[in-house]
Amino acid sequence: MTKSFEGKVAMITGAASGIGEAAAILFAKNGARTVVADRDPDKGEAVAEAIRQSGGDAFFHQVDVADGEQVRGLIAATVERYGRLDCAYNNAGVGGPAAEIADTEEKDFDQIVAVNFKGAWLCMKYEIEHMLQNGGGSIVNTASGAGLISMPAIAIYSASKAATIHMTRVAGLTYAKRGIRVNCVCPGTVNTPAIHAMGIPDVENFFAQDVPMGRLGTPEEIANGALWLCSDEARYVTGVVLPVDGGRVA
């Protein structure tokens, strides 16, 4: 077990499953005191307990990232427990139903934008407020390859991720001289429970046929990208949009 994050505090949203769960476990394995943040208390607490059972230091905090007061409370709880926040991985997101622009329901639009874009903004807002007072830090957002290319079948999801990408770039520039680095990862299709819940026959091959590497990504591979961007090895990196997608966007 490496300890490159020894003495640091990392907070991951959407950490109860999939990419977020893999990231929480990975940050903890690398020595970070880890905050597991998610809407699902049962799964989230299970992830935190697994980290503790493996010798790490973690706690679960329930949060809806689309609610500003809850996000403020998440950062406050992190600082109260650990005294600081060094790394934040804003990973929480929703997919929503597949639909073109004219076929999207307003309620679906509102949910997708509230979680994927507003949620990332709220997390950054309160994380940055603390990091400015604490001498700096590193933030990574989860965007998507869908935010880099046009995908009409998931129009609003794609737009929400494109907005997150641009907000990441702006934040990276805004705070570059103030000790805060802001980057994002753009996962391709990842082998998580979410894709298997779609009910598509042979779902892995269905999606993998569009990937140059010929397979889906794993949650751990996306988490590794986020870990590197938060690490001191990436201390000269900010405002970067990193596809982790087996070559799909290229």
Side-chain angles (χ1 to χ4, degrees):
M1 180 181 294
T2 60
K3 293 292 183 180
S4 57
F5 281 73
E6 189 75 50
K8 292 187 177 182
V9 175
M11 186 273 294
I12 297 93
T13 65
S17 63
I19 295 169
E21 177 183 4
I25 292 169
L26 184 62
F27 275 88
K29 282 183 176 179
N30 279 269
R33 291 173 288 173
T34 305
V35 183
V36 177
D38 200 278
R39 289 188 298 184
D40 189 323
D42 294 332
K43 291 182 179 179
E45 181 55 51
V47 173
E49 178 60 22
I51 290 172
R52 292 191 292 266
Q53 289 294 326
S54 297
D57 186 348
F59 80 96
F60 169 73
H61 188 93
Q62 187 173 15
V63 65
D64 178 351
V65 297
D67 185 313
E69 285 305 308
Q70 290 190 36
V71 175
R72 187 203 300 265
L74 167 64
I75 305 307
T78 298
V79 175
E80 180 180 359
R81 177 72 169 260
Y82 292 133
R84 58 189 297 118
L85 173 64
D86 301 288
C87 307
Y89 181 24
N90 302 322
N91 170 70
V94 294
E100 297 175 4
I101 288 174
D103 298 324
T104 301
E105 298 292 334
E106 186 174 357
K107 64 179 178 61
D108 295 325
F109 176 97
D110 289 343
Q111 182 189 35
I112 292 168
V113 173
V115 176
N116 292 354
F117 183 45
K118 181 184 177 185
W121 165 68
L122 284 170
C123 287
M124 289 174 61
K125 172 179 171 60
Y126 293 113
E127 291 156 2
I128 289 169
E129 282 185 1
H130 169 73
M131 289 176 177
L132 287 173
Q133 299 171 3
N134 198 47
S138 179
I139 296 171
V140 175
N141 297 314
T142 292
S144 171
L148 292 169
I149 57 178
S150 299
M151 301 184 73
I154 48 173
I156 306 308
Y157 174 83
S158 297
S160 72
K161 293 301 187 178
T164 299
I165 287 169
H166 196 64
M167 182 171 61
T168 296
R169 288 172 168 152
V170 170
L173 296 177
T174 301
Y175 298 99
K177 291 184 178 180
R178 287 181 266 180
I180 300 173
R181 298 187 300 104
V182 187
N183 298 287
C184 69
V185 291
C186 290
T189 307
V190 181
N191 197 349
T192 65
I195 70 161
H196 291 277
M198 292 179 178
I200 299 172
D202 198 15
V203 66
E204 292 183 37
N205 286 330
F206 175 82
F207 284 110
Q209 61 187 337
D210 291 329
V211 181
M213 285 189 177
R215 66 172 178 84
L216 303 187
T218 68
E220 291 75 18
E221 286 169 328
I222 312 304
N224 273 319
L227 184 83
W228 179 75
L229 286 170
C230 279
S231 75
D232 289 341
E233 292 179 354
R235 58 185 173 271
Y236 200 51
V237 178
T238 196
V240 159
V241 179
L242 177 66
V244 186
D245 64 355
R248 176 72 175 84
V249 168

